[in-house]
Amino acid sequence: MATLKVPAHVPAPSEDAEQLRKAFEGWGTNEQLIIDILAHRNAAQRNLIRKTYREAYGEDLLKSLDEELSSDFERAVVLFTLDPAERDAFLAHEATKRFTSSHWVLMEIACTRSSHELFDVRKAYHDLYKKSLEEDVAHHTKGDYRKLLVPLVSAFRYQGEEVNMTLARSEAKILREKISDKQYSDEEVIRIVTTRSKAQLNATLNHYNTAFGNAINKDLKADPEDEFLKLLRAAIKCLTVPEKYFEKLLRQAINKLGTDEWALTRVVATRAEVDMVRIKEEYQRRNSVTLEKAIAGDTSGDYEKMLLALIGAGDV
Amino acid sequence: IGVDEKSLISILTNSNEEHKRSLRKGSSKLFIEDENGFERWDQSSIKILKHQFNRFRDAVVLSLLHPWERDARLIEKAIRKGPKHYNVIVETACTRSSDQLLGARKAYHSLFHHSIEEHLTHIKGRERKLLVALVSAYRYEGTGVNEDVAKSEAQILYEAINNGDKNKLLDHEDAIMILATRSKQHLQALYRHYNQSYDKTLAQDLEGEGILKDTVECLCTPQTYFTRVLEAAVKEDADEESKRALTRVIVTQKEQLVKEGFVPNKIQDILLGLNKDFMLASIASGDIK
């Protein structure tokens, strides 16, 4: 469930656009007003505001935000304002560029979005970058990473809940064999992880646990330093228990010496309208402190205010 | 191909028993001399006749179905029927637009409760990787090709084909990536560079390589592929699959055929009855917007 709080009575997009314009005018910027508006509108409303703003002032709202804001606060506001498909396309594109390259972001987007959402990302990617997502991922990744990531971003998984238990048993067995032989990037492993429906994969992993006495990710920890294995474990987590994946990412981002703002911003901005409620519950369960408190303790200023607003802290 | 229904009606309704007996004796393909003294229907001929009578039905169904459902069913059938039919998967994945392929993938979910890529698991052969990659593509369709990249990728393909083990082509990761992810415009530019640099076409170099050649043709020179399929269908010794391809190609590609200035002469001669009327009308209507 979403943590985004939208007021019961939402002003017309033209009003919001006008208020935002006022927030940019004059000396300095009224950051609180920007948060009050943008952190309290859903995707459809934000799209309308952007449209209205462009019609009224001849400029993309995002451009104004880029000019007026800076650093982590700006990134949080811009990322959140973007339409979800465009946002993911932006993040994916960034992840293929040399200095910001990240297999994790690509995996995260491919595995935690629904089949239709992932295709919307691919469409947005065409429009924004005049390339297909898969060709950029193929071009900018190598070896085992490419073998895993290209099929992951190209998948159009069946979304139904039907499960074939016989298949779950046989594929759990295949996974066990390959893992025992340390064939982590074997075609069969890739095939199962990148094509099966999430329900089917879940059944397979449950059976793995039952049949072999421990969860598959435990067996995939054979070499703790192996980066590919880390990615594979994370992919499996994302496909089956995404809130646990995001909790861990947040925990590591916040505990890290200095905070990993990019990870923190990305998780909050991309999940605020999806499953942040569950992620918060998971976070509190695991860390014995609320996510609000953790973020407040680790960030400051307008950046902190924006994040807290998105995770539902305080009033509308 | 098909059945001349009008003539059949005329012949059969105007035949008495004597006449029919001589018809049977004269049709050695359909009737055999039974030891008990009568002309017996040859069992294997029933199948052939069934196919011929069903041409019109098949054309109607194929024509009526929503293109997404049509393509999803074509793919599912091809997977089930085995290696000789994999070219239909390649054809469907590579000659439709990106959004049409997406539509087929959606329809596949609805019809078969699995994704196409899951069902491709049934394929044990080395073609699976290429086929999965091809059906998963969502190619960019705009203009703008990086000619340098197209040229260097032409070289990668050249080396994969000529320096490497040709048997391992289907396992060549880079080659598969290029064919499965690049836009059609890019691949067509690559095709031109290949031709210029190596004095032969990529398709020529892939002669005998089955679905790899089909893939390259469907993506870069679809009219060559379709012409080849149509010509195979009208050959005298064409098998059932080749003949069925005729219906499939005409129904699914009629706009393309008209654009390419396809002149259906050979087809005209070989088609019969209602099926002929339907096929010719399909081609004729191909440029109706």
Side-chain angles (χ1 to χ4, degrees):
Chain A
M1 265 188 59
T3 47
L4 182 73
K5 283 194 181 143
V6 175
H9 185 76
V10 177
S14 50
E15 242 182 271
D16 279 340
E18 199 185 318
Q19 287 299 306
L20 285 168
R21 190 67 170 179
K22 282 211 180 100
F24 302 144
E25 277 166 1
W27 291 110
T29 311
N30 189 343
E31 287 90 355
Q32 188 57 53
L33 186 54
I34 293 174
I35 296 174
D36 285 343
I37 299 175
L38 290 174
H40 296 282
R41 301 290 183 271
N42 63 33
Q45 289 159 344
R46 298 193 309 272
N47 283 346
L48 267 178
I49 294 172
R50 260 179 92 185
K51 183 163 176 279
T52 315
Y53 188 93
R54 182 184 289 112
E55 282 162 7
Y57 307 110
E59 189 178 69
D60 191 339
L61 172 62
L62 294 178
K63 186 150 183 283
S64 304
L65 289 169
D66 183 46
E67 281 168 6
E68 295 291 324
L69 311 179
S70 61
S71 149
D72 296 312
F73 177 54
E74 177 194 330
R75 191 172 165 88
V77 174
V78 167
L79 263 189
F80 185 68
T81 303
L82 279 168
D83 167 86
E86 281 183 321
R87 181 195 304 143
D88 283 349
F90 170 80
L91 288 169
H93 187 247
E94 203 179 48
T96 63
K97 292 285 144 241
R98 198 188 327 161
F99 296 115
T100 48
S101 88
S102 167
H103 298 138
W104 285 70
V105 172
L106 293 170
M107 175 280 301
E108 186 180 300
I109 292 172
C111 296
T112 61
R113 306 334 184 217
S114 75
S115 292
H116 287 94
E117 283 166 356
L118 186 54
F119 242 101
D120 286 341
V121 177
R122 293 170 85 176
K123 271 203 183 92
Y125 203 95
H126 278 193
D127 294 336
L128 290 169
Y129 305 112
K130 315 298 178 204
K131 281 267 168 63
S132 68
L133 172 58
E134 60 268 29
E135 71 182 299
D136 271 353
V137 173
H139 199 59
H140 292 99
T141 57
K142 310 199 285 265
D144 288 343
Y145 295 104
R146 190 171 72 169
K147 269 176 86 166
L148 178 64
L149 289 171
V150 173
L152 275 182
V153 305
S154 312
F156 189 56
R157 295 175 204 262
Y158 176 59
Q159 300 262 92
E161 294 299 320
E162 299 99 305
V163 159
N164 179 329
M165 291 313 269
T166 312
L167 192 63
R169 275 194 290 277
S170 70
E171 291 194 334
K173 203 157 163 255
I174 294 173
L175 288 172
R176 175 71 162 188
E177 279 166 15
K178 298 300 176 183
I179 291 174
S180 305
D181 290 338
K182 298 197 192 294
Q183 305 285 336
Y184 307 118
S185 61
D186 181 273
E187 266 190 51
E188 286 290 274
V189 175
I190 305 277
R191 173 183 67 75
I192 292 169
V193 172
T194 63
T195 66
R196 287 299 177 203
S197 72
K198 290 181 180 178
Q200 181 67 36
L201 195 57
N202 204 28
T204 302
L205 298 181
N206 282 339
H207 188 79
Y208 188 105
N209 202 343
T210 309
F212 305 117
N214 52 257
I216 192 174
N217 272 4
K218 186 145 183 269
D219 289 341
L220 287 173
K221 275 200 181 126
D223 179 1
E225 293 309 306
D226 187 330
E227 289 297 324
F228 178 74
L229 275 186
K230 277 191 203 162
L231 190 67
L232 186 59
R233 287 201 306 273
I236 287 173
K237 227 172 176 181
C238 280
L239 289 164
T240 51
V241 283
E243 61 279 357
K244 288 201 170 122
Y245 165 84
F246 285 116
E247 180 279 322
K248 185 169 180 189
L249 201 59
L250 285 171
R251 179 174 12 116
Q252 289 174 334
I254 293 172
N255 291 349
K256 181 174 165 177
L257 203 63
T259 311
D260 180 352
E261 285 89 0
W262 273 35
L264 180 56
T265 304
R266 185 177 79 241
V267 176
V268 171
T270 60
R271 307 315 282 181
E273 291 180 276
V274 184
D275 55 0
M276 185 53 80
V277 171
R278 283 188 80 173
I279 297 173
K280 281 201 323 189
E281 282 165 5
E282 194 64 30
Y283 191 91
Q284 179 154 16
R285 199 188 58 80
R286 177 70 176 67
N287 300 286
S288 306
V289 70
T290 63
L291 182 60
E292 283 90 336
K293 200 142 180 252
I295 288 179
D298 224 57
T299 59
S300 62
D302 298 309
Y303 178 51
E304 177 191 326
K305 285 190 204 151
M306 182 66 183
L307 293 178
L308 290 178
L310 288 177
I311 64 172
D315 306 317
V316 171
Chain B
I1 298 178
V3 170
D4 186 349
E5 292 93 351
K6 283 215 177 81
S7 300
L8 271 182
I9 293 172
S10 171
I11 294 171
L12 292 174
T13 52
N14 288 323
S15 297
N16 56 20
E17 203 38 55
E18 233 355 274
H19 198 186
K20 283 190 196 168
R21 191 182 303 134
S22 58
L23 271 176
R24 288 192 294 269
K25 282 195 190 286
S27 312
S28 60
K29 279 208 178 115
L30 298 175
F31 293 90
I32 51 179
E33 194 63 45
D34 184 271
E35 61 190 14
N36 280 324
F38 66 101
E39 308 83 36
R40 200 184 76 221
W41 182 255
D42 179 7
Q43 277 297 98
S44 61
S45 303
I46 292 181
K47 220 178 171 193
I48 298 174
L49 214 67
K50 203 170 94 170
H51 288 314
Q52 296 292 51
F53 271 101
N54 285 340
R55 303 261 181 240
F56 179 56
R57 177 203 71 180
D58 293 342
V60 167
V61 171
L62 210 60
S63 191
L64 196 55
L65 286 176
H66 189 293
W68 295 357
E69 176 169 358
R70 178 198 72 199
D71 287 348
R73 289 192 185 277
L74 282 173
I75 292 175
E76 193 268 343
K77 200 168 179 201
I79 297 175
R80 251 191 300 123
K81 293 187 107 181
K84 288 217 179 86
H85 302 257
Y86 293 164
N87 70 302
V88 177
I89 304 174
V90 171
E91 181 184 308
T92 311
C94 297
T95 63
R96 310 305 192 244
S97 75
S98 293
D99 281 331
Q100 283 172 333
L101 180 56
L102 168 58
R105 292 174 85 175
K106 285 185 188 161
Y108 205 97
H109 280 197
S110 303
L111 294 166
F112 306 112
H113 303 286
H114 283 89
S115 60
I116 301 179
E117 48 273 37
E118 277 185 281
H119 270 179
L120 284 171
T121 305
H122 297 313
I123 294 178
K124 299 297 169 202
R126 292 161 46 242
E127 301 95 338
R128 188 176 63 79
K129 244 194 325 205
L130 175 65
L131 291 173
V132 171
L134 291 178
V135 306
S136 305
Y138 188 59
R139 299 175 201 263
Y140 177 60
E141 291 179 322
T143 51
V145 169
N146 185 325
E147 297 288 338
D148 290 332
V149 175
K151 195 163 181 207
S152 74
E153 290 186 344
Q155 188 177 0
I156 293 174
L157 289 180
Y158 179 79
E159 280 162 16
I161 297 169
N162 292 284
N163 300 345
D165 184 354
K166 226 175 183 181
N167 286 330
K168 292 253 168 80
L169 268 179
L170 283 170
D171 294 314
H172 195 282
E173 298 277 349
D174 288 343
I176 307 251
M177 282 294 150
I178 293 169
L179 292 174
T181 65
R182 290 299 186 198
S183 73
K184 290 179 185 175
Q185 288 77 4
H186 181 99
L187 290 171
Q188 283 156 14
L190 186 158
Y191 196 87
R192 280 195 303 275
H193 282 289
Y194 197 100
N195 203 353
Q196 282 164 12
S197 307
Y198 308 113
D199 262 341
K200 50 188 163 161
T201 69
L202 182 49
Q204 282 168 336
D205 243 359
L206 287 170
E207 196 58 54
E209 293 306 315
I211 62 168
L212 268 172
K213 180 177 178 202
D214 291 337
T215 301
V216 165
E217 278 189 334
C218 283
L219 291 166
C220 303
T221 58
Q223 69 277 16
T224 316
Y225 171 82
F226 285 120
T227 305
R228 189 156 52 83
V229 171
L230 289 173
E231 285 184 352
V234 301
K235 265 183 14 206
E236 236 190 80
D237 54 348
D239 62 13
E240 178 51 34
E241 250 348 281
S242 303
K243 290 188 191 164
R244 211 175 268 149
L246 186 64
T247 307
R248 185 182 77 238
V249 169
I250 290 180
V251 170
T252 62
Q253 298 299 318
K254 56 181 186 170
E255 283 89 9
Q256 264 314 106
L257 293 177
V258 168
K259 242 184 14 175
E260 305 292 336
F262 179 71
V263 179
N265 280 332
K266 273 200 196 131
I267 297 204
Q268 201 149 274
D269 294 335
I270 213 135
L271 291 175
L272 296 168
L274 290 174
N275 185 44
K276 173 179 183 175
D277 294 341
F278 197 359
M279 292 294 99
L280 292 181
S282 287
I283 298 172
S285 72
D287 63 355
I288 291 178
K289 287 292 169 275

